[in-house]
Amino acid sequence: TANTPRIRDGMRAAIPLAPSPILFGLSYGVLADATGFGAAAAVVMSATTFAGAAQFASLSVLDAGGTVAAAILAAIFLNARYIAISVTVASIFPGGKLRRLAESQAIVDESWALAGRRGRFEWPILIGSGLVFYVLWVVSTAAGTAVGGILEDPNALGLDAAFAALFLALAVPYLHEARARQAAALAAVITL
C-alpha cells in the first residue's frame, strides 16, 4: 500500500541525522591515527564492529596500555544495551536465522529509534537507515584516518556536541506522552 514504508524511506529518514555519524566516524578515524592504531585496522574495525562507543572505548583502553581482554570487555559492556534493543525488534525481521543475523547488524541506536517513531517498529526503516549509517560510519572512519595527521585533536570536530544533539533528536518523537517525558527527565537527572 501507499503507506507501507520501503527501504528507501528508511534511507531518507536517516539523512537529517547524517552529520552525527559522519563527525563521530571522522573523530574515531583521527583518534585511531593519533594513537597509532593504523588506518587499515580502524576501517576494518568500523566495518566489522559498527559500534562507535564500543570502538572508542576499545581504542582508549588499548592506547592507555590496557590488555586486549580489557578492551573487549569494555566493548561488550557498552554494547550490552543491544540485547534489549534487539529483543524489541526481533519480530519484525523476516526469513531464516542467517538472514535475520545478517540484517540485525543494521540495528544501531539511530536506526532503532527511527524504525519505531510511528509507534511500531518498521523493518524497512530500520534496514534502510541502518545501511546509510553503516556506509557513513565506515567511509568517515577512513576519511578520519586520512586527515589524522593534519588534525591531531579529535575534539576539534565537535563530537561532544554532535553526539548529544543526535540523542536529543532521537528522543523528541517519543516524548508525546507524559510517561515518556517523565522517563526522559529521570534519565537526564541520572546522567547529570
Side-chain angles (χ1 to χ4, degrees):
T1 65
N3 290 335
T4 303
R6 294 173 293 207
I7 289 176
R8 70 176 155 205
D9 296 325
M11 296 171 101
R12 275 197 293 269
I15 291 173
L17 299 176
S20 186
I22 290 170
L23 288 174
F24 202 35
L26 283 169
S27 295
Y28 175 71
V30 169
L31 183 63
D33 181 72
T35 61
F37 191 61
V43 173
V44 168
M45 188 175 193
S46 285
T48 59
T49 306
F50 187 35
Q55 288 177 240
F56 270 99
S58 296
L59 189 59
S60 296
V61 168
L62 293 172
D63 186 48
T67 64
V68 171
I72 291 170
L73 278 175
I76 289 171
F77 287 132
L78 277 168
N79 283 342
R81 71 187 183 282
Y82 287 117
I83 295 169
I85 287 172
S86 295
V87 167
T88 65
V89 295
S91 65
I92 69 170
F93 282 88
K97 289 181 182 179
L98 286 178
R99 177 181 173 181
R100 293 165 59 95
L101 177 64
E103 290 178 352
S104 71
Q105 303 312 302
I107 302 170
V108 291
D109 299 315
E110 298 91 340
S111 64
W112 178 82
L114 288 172
R117 66 188 173 171
R118 294 186 190 175
R120 66 187 188 293
F121 288 103
E122 299 171 310
W123 175 87
I125 303 299
L126 192 143
I127 296 299
S129 61
L131 287 171
V132 169
F133 295 132
Y134 178 80
V135 169
L136 292 175
W137 176 246
V138 175
V139 170
S140 63
T141 296
T145 63
V147 300
I150 300 166
L151 182 64
E152 293 295 330
D153 182 13
N155 291 325
L157 294 172
L159 172 63
D160 49 353
F163 204 52
L166 167 71
F167 280 103
L168 286 173
L170 292 176
V172 169
Y174 293 92
L175 300 178
H176 297 302
E177 297 178 10
R179 189 170 180 179
R181 289 190 296 276
Q182 292 168 347
L186 178 61
V189 168
I190 291 170
T191 301
L192 290 174

mmCIF file of all heavy atoms in Angstrom, residues 27-79:
data_model
loop_
_atom_site.group_PDB
_atom_site.id
_atom_site.type_symbol
_atom_site.label_atom_id
_atom_site.label_comp_id
_atom_site.label_asym_id
_atom_site.label_seq_id
_atom_site.Cartn_x
_atom_site.Cartn_y
_atom_site.Cartn_z
ATOM 1 N N SER A 27 35.981 11.532 13.866
ATOM 2 C CA SER A 27 36.682 11.609 15.149
ATOM 3 C C SER A 27 37.354 10.286 15.491
ATOM 4 O O SER A 27 38.500 10.256 15.961
ATOM 5 C CB SER A 27 35.716 11.991 16.270
ATOM 6 O OG SER A 27 35.218 13.280 16.075
ATOM 7 N N TYR A 28 36.652 9.189 15.249
ATOM 8 C CA TYR A 28 37.239 7.869 15.526
ATOM 9 C C TYR A 28 38.464 7.641 14.642
ATOM 10 O O TYR A 28 39.503 7.172 15.116
ATOM 11 C CB TYR A 28 36.205 6.766 15.316
ATOM 12 C CG TYR A 28 36.799 5.397 15.478
ATOM 13 C CD1 TYR A 28 37.185 4.924 16.732
ATOM 14 C CD2 TYR A 28 37.034 4.596 14.377
ATOM 15 C CE1 TYR A 28 37.777 3.680 16.877
ATOM 16 C CE2 TYR A 28 37.615 3.349 14.512
ATOM 17 C CZ TYR A 28 37.977 2.899 15.759
ATOM 18 O OH TYR A 28 38.568 1.661 15.907
ATOM 19 N N GLY A 29 38.359 7.981 13.367
ATOM 20 C CA GLY A 29 39.492 7.815 12.466
ATOM 21 C C GLY A 29 40.681 8.659 12.866
ATOM 22 O O GLY A 29 41.832 8.198 12.838
ATOM 23 N N VAL A 30 40.427 9.914 13.252
ATOM 24 C CA VAL A 30 41.509 10.799 13.697
ATOM 25 C C VAL A 30 42.154 10.242 14.960
ATOM 26 O O VAL A 30 43.387 10.192 15.073
ATOM 27 C CB VAL A 30 40.978 12.236 13.927
ATOM 28 C CG1 VAL A 30 42.004 13.095 14.650
ATOM 29 C CG2 VAL A 30 40.571 12.877 12.606
ATOM 30 N N LEU A 31 41.340 9.808 15.907
ATOM 31 C CA LEU A 31 41.870 9.250 17.152
ATOM 32 C C LEU A 31 42.666 7.977 16.877
ATOM 33 O O LEU A 31 43.735 7.770 17.455
ATOM 34 C CB LEU A 31 40.734 8.966 18.136
ATOM 35 C CG LEU A 31 41.156 8.442 19.506
ATOM 36 C CD1 LEU A 31 42.009 9.480 20.240
ATOM 37 C CD2 LEU A 31 39.921 8.086 20.334
ATOM 38 N N ALA A 32 42.164 7.122 15.992
ATOM 39 C CA ALA A 32 42.888 5.890 15.648
ATOM 40 C C ALA A 32 44.253 6.226 15.062
ATOM 41 O O ALA A 32 45.262 5.594 15.398
ATOM 42 C CB ALA A 32 42.064 5.051 14.671
ATOM 43 N N ASP A 33 44.289 7.237 14.204
ATOM 44 C CA ASP A 33 45.561 7.656 13.613
ATOM 45 C C ASP A 33 46.488 8.229 14.681
ATOM 46 O O ASP A 33 47.672 7.904 14.722
ATOM 47 C CB ASP A 33 45.313 8.693 12.511
ATOM 48 C CG ASP A 33 46.603 9.132 11.842
ATOM 49 O OD1 ASP A 33 47.177 8.321 11.089
ATOM 50 O OD2 ASP A 33 47.042 10.274 12.106
ATOM 51 N N ALA A 34 45.944 9.075 15.553
ATOM 52 C CA ALA A 34 46.756 9.731 16.584
ATOM 53 C C ALA A 34 47.338 8.727 17.579
ATOM 54 O O ALA A 34 48.412 8.952 18.124
ATOM 55 C CB ALA A 34 45.927 10.785 17.316
ATOM 56 N N THR A 35 46.634 7.630 17.816
ATOM 57 C CA THR A 35 47.110 6.640 18.788
ATOM 58 C C THR A 35 47.979 5.567 18.150
ATOM 59 O O THR A 35 48.468 4.678 18.834
ATOM 60 C CB THR A 35 45.932 5.965 19.515
ATOM 61 O OG1 THR A 35 45.132 5.284 18.550
ATOM 62 C CG2 THR A 35 45.114 6.963 20.297
ATOM 63 N N GLY A 36 48.133 5.640 16.824
ATOM 64 C CA GLY A 36 48.963 4.655 16.140
ATOM 65 C C GLY A 36 48.251 3.335 15.874
ATOM 66 O O GLY A 36 48.876 2.329 15.565
ATOM 67 N N PHE A 37 46.937 3.323 15.982
ATOM 68 C CA PHE A 37 46.159 2.101 15.751
ATOM 69 C C PHE A 37 46.247 1.669 14.300
ATOM 70 O O PHE A 37 46.202 0.490 13.994
ATOM 71 C CB PHE A 37 44.698 2.348 16.171
ATOM 72 C CG PHE A 37 43.838 1.122 16.225
ATOM 73 C CD1 PHE A 37 44.133 0.081 17.080
ATOM 74 C CD2 PHE A 37 42.710 1.017 15.431
ATOM 75 C CE1 PHE A 37 43.334 -1.050 17.139
ATOM 76 C CE2 PHE A 37 41.893 -0.098 15.477
ATOM 77 C CZ PHE A 37 42.213 -1.137 16.333
ATOM 78 N N GLY A 38 46.348 2.618 13.410
ATOM 79 C CA GLY A 38 46.504 2.324 11.993
ATOM 80 C C GLY A 38 45.211 2.470 11.220
ATOM 81 O O GLY A 38 44.129 2.125 11.716
ATOM 82 N N ALA A 39 45.331 2.990 10.010
ATOM 83 C CA ALA A 39 44.159 3.241 9.176
ATOM 84 C C ALA A 39 43.429 1.958 8.820
ATOM 85 O O ALA A 39 42.209 1.872 8.938
ATOM 86 C CB ALA A 39 44.577 3.980 7.906
ATOM 87 N N ALA A 40 44.160 0.948 8.394
ATOM 88 C CA ALA A 40 43.514 -0.307 7.992
ATOM 89 C C ALA A 40 42.774 -0.936 9.166
ATOM 90 O O ALA A 40 41.620 -1.375 9.025
ATOM 91 C CB ALA A 40 44.538 -1.276 7.415
ATOM 92 N N ALA A 41 43.415 -0.976 10.324
ATOM 93 C CA ALA A 41 42.774 -1.576 11.499
ATOM 94 C C ALA A 41 41.517 -0.803 11.897
ATOM 95 O O ALA A 41 40.493 -1.398 12.240
ATOM 96 C CB ALA A 41 43.754 -1.624 12.670
ATOM 97 N N ALA A 42 41.583 0.520 11.829
ATOM 98 C CA ALA A 42 40.422 1.341 12.191
ATOM 99 C C ALA A 42 39.257 1.108 11.239
ATOM 100 O O ALA A 42 38.108 0.951 11.671
ATOM 101 C CB ALA A 42 40.799 2.820 12.203
ATOM 102 N N VAL A 43 39.542 1.066 9.942
ATOM 103 C CA VAL A 43 38.475 0.865 8.958
ATOM 104 C C VAL A 43 37.901 -0.544 9.070
ATOM 105 O O VAL A 43 36.681 -0.729 9.024
ATOM 106 C CB VAL A 43 38.981 1.166 7.525
ATOM 107 C CG1 VAL A 43 37.941 0.796 6.480
ATOM 108 C CG2 VAL A 43 39.348 2.644 7.408
ATOM 109 N N VAL A 44 38.759 -1.539 9.238
ATOM 110 C CA VAL A 44 38.266 -2.920 9.403
ATOM 111 C C VAL A 44 37.410 -3.028 10.668
ATOM 112 O O VAL A 44 36.354 -3.663 10.652
ATOM 113 C CB VAL A 44 39.435 -3.932 9.417
ATOM 114 C CG1 VAL A 44 38.981 -5.306 9.884
ATOM 115 C CG2 VAL A 44 40.062 -4.022 8.035
ATOM 116 N N MET A 45 37.840 -2.388 11.743
ATOM 117 C CA MET A 45 37.048 -2.441 12.973
ATOM 118 C C MET A 45 35.697 -1.768 12.768
ATOM 119 O O MET A 45 34.671 -2.274 13.226
ATOM 120 C CB MET A 45 37.798 -1.800 14.136
ATOM 121 C CG MET A 45 37.110 -1.996 15.463
ATOM 122 S SD MET A 45 38.114 -1.342 16.812
ATOM 123 C CE MET A 45 37.270 -2.051 18.214
ATOM 124 N N SER A 46 35.680 -0.632 12.064
ATOM 125 C CA SER A 46 34.407 0.039 11.802
ATOM 126 C C SER A 46 33.502 -0.816 10.925
ATOM 127 O O SER A 46 32.294 -0.868 11.136
ATOM 128 C CB SER A 46 34.638 1.402 11.141
ATOM 129 O OG SER A 46 35.088 2.326 12.091
ATOM 130 N N ALA A 47 34.088 -1.495 9.940
ATOM 131 C CA ALA A 47 33.297 -2.314 9.029
ATOM 132 C C ALA A 47 32.763 -3.578 9.692
ATOM 133 O O ALA A 47 31.687 -4.060 9.338
ATOM 134 C CB ALA A 47 34.126 -2.685 7.806
ATOM 135 N N THR A 48 33.483 -4.100 10.664
ATOM 136 C CA THR A 48 33.060 -5.361 11.289
ATOM 137 C C THR A 48 32.378 -5.179 12.632
ATOM 138 O O THR A 48 31.614 -6.034 13.054
ATOM 139 C CB THR A 48 34.266 -6.306 11.470
ATOM 140 O OG1 THR A 48 35.251 -5.668 12.284
ATOM 141 C CG2 THR A 48 34.857 -6.693 10.129
ATOM 142 N N THR A 49 32.643 -4.065 13.298
ATOM 143 C CA THR A 49 32.057 -3.842 14.624
ATOM 144 C C THR A 49 30.857 -2.914 14.550
ATOM 145 O O THR A 49 29.833 -3.191 15.161
ATOM 146 C CB THR A 49 33.110 -3.265 15.589
ATOM 147 O OG1 THR A 49 34.245 -4.129 15.597
ATOM 148 C CG2 THR A 49 32.562 -3.114 16.980
ATOM 149 N N PHE A 50 30.967 -1.805 13.817
ATOM 150 C CA PHE A 50 29.878 -0.848 13.614
ATOM 151 C C PHE A 50 29.213 -0.476 14.931
ATOM 152 O O PHE A 50 28.015 -0.560 15.107
ATOM 153 C CB PHE A 50 28.873 -1.436 12.614
ATOM 154 C CG PHE A 50 27.783 -0.484 12.171
ATOM 155 C CD1 PHE A 50 28.009 0.871 12.004
ATOM 156 C CD2 PHE A 50 26.506 -0.967 11.908
ATOM 157 C CE1 PHE A 50 26.999 1.731 11.586
ATOM 158 C CE2 PHE A 50 25.485 -0.117 11.488
ATOM 159 C CZ PHE A 50 25.738 1.221 11.328
ATOM 160 N N ALA A 51 30.034 -0.071 15.895
ATOM 161 C CA ALA A 51 29.530 0.317 17.214
ATOM 162 C C ALA A 51 30.473 1.384 17.772
ATOM 163 O O ALA A 51 31.454 1.069 18.442
ATOM 164 C CB ALA A 51 29.457 -0.886 18.146
ATOM 165 N N GLY A 52 30.159 2.636 17.476
ATOM 166 C CA GLY A 52 31.048 3.739 17.780
ATOM 167 C C GLY A 52 31.533 3.821 19.210
ATOM 168 O O GLY A 52 32.736 3.901 19.456
ATOM 169 N N ALA A 53 30.627 3.811 20.162
ATOM 170 C CA ALA A 53 31.036 3.958 21.561
ATOM 171 C C ALA A 53 31.956 2.815 21.975
ATOM 172 O O ALA A 53 32.964 3.035 22.660
ATOM 173 C CB ALA A 53 29.811 4.024 22.464
ATOM 174 N N ALA A 54 31.643 1.610 21.557
ATOM 175 C CA ALA A 54 32.482 0.458 21.887
ATOM 176 C C ALA A 54 33.847 0.568 21.231
ATOM 177 O O ALA A 54 34.869 0.218 21.830
ATOM 178 C CB ALA A 54 31.791 -0.832 21.457
ATOM 179 N N GLN A 55 33.877 1.075 20.014
ATOM 180 C CA GLN A 55 35.149 1.233 19.313
ATOM 181 C C GLN A 55 36.017 2.285 19.984
ATOM 182 O O GLN A 55 37.221 2.107 20.140
ATOM 183 C CB GLN A 55 34.906 1.575 17.842
ATOM 184 C CG GLN A 55 34.376 0.400 17.054
ATOM 185 C CD GLN A 55 34.078 0.766 15.621
ATOM 186 O OE1 GLN A 55 32.953 0.648 15.191
ATOM 187 N NE2 GLN A 55 35.083 1.205 14.883
ATOM 188 N N PHE A 56 35.416 3.408 20.375
ATOM 189 C CA PHE A 56 36.164 4.442 21.095
ATOM 190 C C PHE A 56 36.706 3.884 22.408
ATOM 191 O O PHE A 56 37.859 4.123 22.767
ATOM 192 C CB PHE A 56 35.285 5.659 21.383
ATOM 193 C CG PHE A 56 35.308 6.708 20.313
ATOM 194 C CD1 PHE A 56 34.299 6.768 19.371
ATOM 195 C CD2 PHE A 56 36.327 7.641 20.252
ATOM 196 C CE1 PHE A 56 34.312 7.738 18.390
ATOM 197 C CE2 PHE A 56 36.359 8.615 19.263
ATOM 198 C CZ PHE A 56 35.345 8.661 18.319
ATOM 199 N N ALA A 57 35.881 3.150 23.129
ATOM 200 C CA ALA A 57 36.310 2.595 24.414
ATOM 201 C C ALA A 57 37.458 1.611 24.223
ATOM 202 O O ALA A 57 38.460 1.665 24.952
ATOM 203 C CB ALA A 57 35.133 1.912 25.105
ATOM 204 N N SER A 58 37.323 0.724 23.247
ATOM 205 C CA SER A 58 38.384 -0.258 22.993
ATOM 206 C C SER A 58 39.691 0.429 22.639
ATOM 207 O O SER A 58 40.759 0.069 23.144
ATOM 208 C CB SER A 58 37.979 -1.200 21.852
ATOM 209 O OG SER A 58 36.859 -1.946 22.216
ATOM 210 N N LEU A 59 39.605 1.412 21.765
ATOM 211 C CA LEU A 59 40.791 2.145 21.348
ATOM 212 C C LEU A 59 41.428 2.872 22.529
ATOM 213 O O LEU A 59 42.654 2.866 22.686
ATOM 214 C CB LEU A 59 40.433 3.128 20.239
ATOM 215 C CG LEU A 59 41.569 3.834 19.536
ATOM 216 C CD1 LEU A 59 42.530 2.845 18.891
ATOM 217 C CD2 LEU A 59 41.010 4.781 18.486
ATOM 218 N N SER A 60 40.606 3.468 23.370
ATOM 219 C CA SER A 60 41.117 4.181 24.545
ATOM 220 C C SER A 60 41.814 3.230 25.517
ATOM 221 O O SER A 60 42.864 3.563 26.070
ATOM 222 C CB SER A 60 39.988 4.922 25.252
ATOM 223 O OG SER A 60 39.458 5.918 24.418
ATOM 224 N N VAL A 61 41.219 2.067 25.737
ATOM 225 C CA VAL A 61 41.827 1.078 26.634
ATOM 226 C C VAL A 61 43.178 0.630 26.088
ATOM 227 O O VAL A 61 44.182 0.580 26.817
ATOM 228 C CB VAL A 61 40.885 -0.137 26.833
ATOM 229 C CG1 VAL A 61 41.604 -1.299 27.503
ATOM 230 C CG2 VAL A 61 39.662 0.267 27.646
ATOM 231 N N LEU A 62 43.221 0.315 24.790
ATOM 232 C CA LEU A 62 44.478 -0.132 24.187
ATOM 233 C C LEU A 62 45.525 0.979 24.205
ATOM 234 O O LEU A 62 46.706 0.726 24.479
ATOM 235 C CB LEU A 62 44.243 -0.618 22.758
ATOM 236 C CG LEU A 62 43.408 -1.896 22.628
ATOM 237 C CD1 LEU A 62 43.083 -2.176 21.175
ATOM 238 C CD2 LEU A 62 44.124 -3.074 23.283
ATOM 239 N N ASP A 63 45.114 2.213 23.930
ATOM 240 C CA ASP A 63 46.041 3.345 23.929
ATOM 241 C C ASP A 63 46.618 3.606 25.320
ATOM 242 O O ASP A 63 47.756 4.040 25.454
ATOM 243 C CB ASP A 63 45.350 4.602 23.397
ATOM 244 C CG ASP A 63 46.320 5.761 23.231
ATOM 245 O OD1 ASP A 63 47.407 5.544 22.651
ATOM 246 O OD2 ASP A 63 45.985 6.884 23.673
ATOM 247 N N ALA A 64 45.826 3.332 26.353
ATOM 248 C CA ALA A 64 46.286 3.550 27.725
ATOM 249 C C ALA A 64 47.145 2.395 28.235
ATOM 250 O O ALA A 64 47.552 2.382 29.388
ATOM 251 C CB ALA A 64 45.089 3.758 28.649
ATOM 252 N N GLY A 65 47.392 1.396 27.364
ATOM 253 C CA GLY A 65 48.230 0.273 27.769
ATOM 254 C C GLY A 65 47.450 -0.900 28.314
ATOM 255 O O GLY A 65 48.034 -1.845 28.841
ATOM 256 N N GLY A 66 46.144 -0.850 28.193
ATOM 257 C CA GLY A 66 45.314 -1.950 28.679
ATOM 258 C C GLY A 66 45.443 -3.184 27.803
ATOM 259 O O GLY A 66 45.954 -3.129 26.688
ATOM 260 N N THR A 67 44.959 -4.279 28.311
ATOM 261 C CA THR A 67 45.043 -5.540 27.576
ATOM 262 C C THR A 67 43.924 -5.638 26.543
ATOM 263 O O THR A 67 42.923 -4.915 26.611
ATOM 264 C CB THR A 67 44.918 -6.734 28.542
ATOM 265 O OG1 THR A 67 43.606 -6.711 29.130
ATOM 266 C CG2 THR A 67 45.983 -6.683 29.637
ATOM 267 N N VAL A 68 44.105 -6.543 25.615
ATOM 268 C CA VAL A 68 43.069 -6.805 24.618
ATOM 269 C C VAL A 68 41.801 -7.294 25.321
ATOM 270 O O VAL A 68 40.686 -6.900 24.955
ATOM 271 C CB VAL A 68 43.564 -7.824 23.565
ATOM 272 C CG1 VAL A 68 42.437 -8.272 22.660
ATOM 273 C CG2 VAL A 68 44.699 -7.231 22.762
ATOM 274 N N ALA A 69 41.960 -8.105 26.348
ATOM 275 C CA ALA A 69 40.793 -8.609 27.101
ATOM 276 C C ALA A 69 40.019 -7.446 27.725
ATOM 277 O O ALA A 69 38.781 -7.432 27.688
ATOM 278 C CB ALA A 69 41.234 -9.595 28.170
ATOM 279 N N ALA A 70 40.726 -6.475 28.282
ATOM 280 C CA ALA A 70 40.058 -5.312 28.877
ATOM 281 C C ALA A 70 39.340 -4.503 27.810
ATOM 282 O O ALA A 70 38.231 -4.007 28.038
ATOM 283 C CB ALA A 70 41.066 -4.442 29.616
ATOM 284 N N ALA A 71 39.949 -4.367 26.637
ATOM 285 C CA ALA A 71 39.314 -3.627 25.535
ATOM 286 C C ALA A 71 38.052 -4.342 25.064
ATOM 287 O O ALA A 71 37.026 -3.706 24.820
ATOM 288 C CB ALA A 71 40.299 -3.469 24.376
ATOM 289 N N ILE A 72 38.112 -5.652 24.970
ATOM 290 C CA ILE A 72 36.936 -6.438 24.559
ATOM 291 C C ILE A 72 35.835 -6.335 25.598
ATOM 292 O O ILE A 72 34.656 -6.155 25.260
ATOM 293 C CB ILE A 72 37.327 -7.901 24.287
ATOM 294 C CG1 ILE A 72 38.207 -7.978 23.029
ATOM 295 C CG2 ILE A 72 36.101 -8.791 24.145
ATOM 296 C CD1 ILE A 72 38.855 -9.330 22.799
ATOM 297 N N LEU A 73 36.188 -6.432 26.885
ATOM 298 C CA LEU A 73 35.179 -6.302 27.951
ATOM 299 C C LEU A 73 34.518 -4.929 27.929
ATOM 300 O O LEU A 73 33.300 -4.816 28.118
ATOM 301 C CB LEU A 73 35.802 -6.560 29.322
ATOM 302 C CG LEU A 73 35.949 -8.018 29.709
ATOM 303 C CD1 LEU A 73 36.695 -8.142 31.032
ATOM 304 C CD2 LEU A 73 34.589 -8.690 29.801
ATOM 305 N N ALA A 74 35.294 -3.881 27.705
ATOM 306 C CA ALA A 74 34.726 -2.532 27.628
ATOM 307 C C ALA A 74 33.705 -2.472 26.495
ATOM 308 O O ALA A 74 32.608 -1.917 26.658
ATOM 309 C CB ALA A 74 35.827 -1.497 27.419
ATOM 310 N N ALA A 75 34.050 -3.041 25.350
ATOM 311 C CA ALA A 75 33.128 -3.044 24.207
ATOM 312 C C ALA A 75 31.872 -3.849 24.509
ATOM 313 O O ALA A 75 30.758 -3.427 24.170
ATOM 314 C CB ALA A 75 33.843 -3.602 22.969
ATOM 315 N N ILE A 76 32.032 -4.986 25.144
ATOM 316 C CA ILE A 76 30.869 -5.828 25.481
ATOM 317 C C ILE A 76 29.935 -5.091 26.427
ATOM 318 O O ILE A 76 28.714 -5.083 26.227
ATOM 319 C CB ILE A 76 31.321 -7.176 26.076
ATOM 320 C CG1 ILE A 76 31.945 -8.039 24.972
ATOM 321 C CG2 ILE A 76 30.158 -7.893 26.746
ATOM 322 C CD1 ILE A 76 32.626 -9.303 25.480
ATOM 323 N N PHE A 77 30.480 -4.468 27.458
ATOM 324 C CA PHE A 77 29.627 -3.750 28.411
ATOM 325 C C PHE A 77 28.896 -2.587 27.754
ATOM 326 O O PHE A 77 27.725 -2.349 28.014
ATOM 327 C CB PHE A 77 30.423 -3.273 29.627
ATOM 328 C CG PHE A 77 30.802 -4.380 30.573
ATOM 329 C CD1 PHE A 77 32.090 -4.492 31.047
ATOM 330 C CD2 PHE A 77 29.871 -5.327 30.968
ATOM 331 C CE1 PHE A 77 32.442 -5.518 31.913
ATOM 332 C CE2 PHE A 77 30.212 -6.352 31.831
ATOM 333 C CZ PHE A 77 31.503 -6.456 32.307
ATOM 334 N N LEU A 78 29.584 -1.852 26.896
ATOM 335 C CA LEU A 78 28.930 -0.732 26.214
ATOM 336 C C LEU A 78 27.860 -1.207 25.237
ATOM 337 O O LEU A 78 26.868 -0.511 25.025
ATOM 338 C CB LEU A 78 29.963 0.117 25.474
ATOM 339 C CG LEU A 78 30.671 1.124 26.359
ATOM 340 C CD1 LEU A 78 31.870 1.715 25.650
ATOM 341 C CD2 LEU A 78 29.718 2.227 26.783
ATOM 342 N N ASN A 79 28.045 -2.361 24.651
ATOM 343 C CA ASN A 79 27.074 -2.870 23.682
ATOM 344 C C ASN A 79 26.009 -3.762 24.296
ATOM 345 O O ASN A 79 25.141 -4.259 23.573
ATOM 346 C CB ASN A 79 27.793 -3.612 22.555
ATOM 347 C CG ASN A 79 28.417 -2.661 21.570
ATOM 348 O OD1 ASN A 79 28.059 -1.491 21.516
ATOM 349 N ND2 ASN A 79 29.354 -3.146 20.795
#
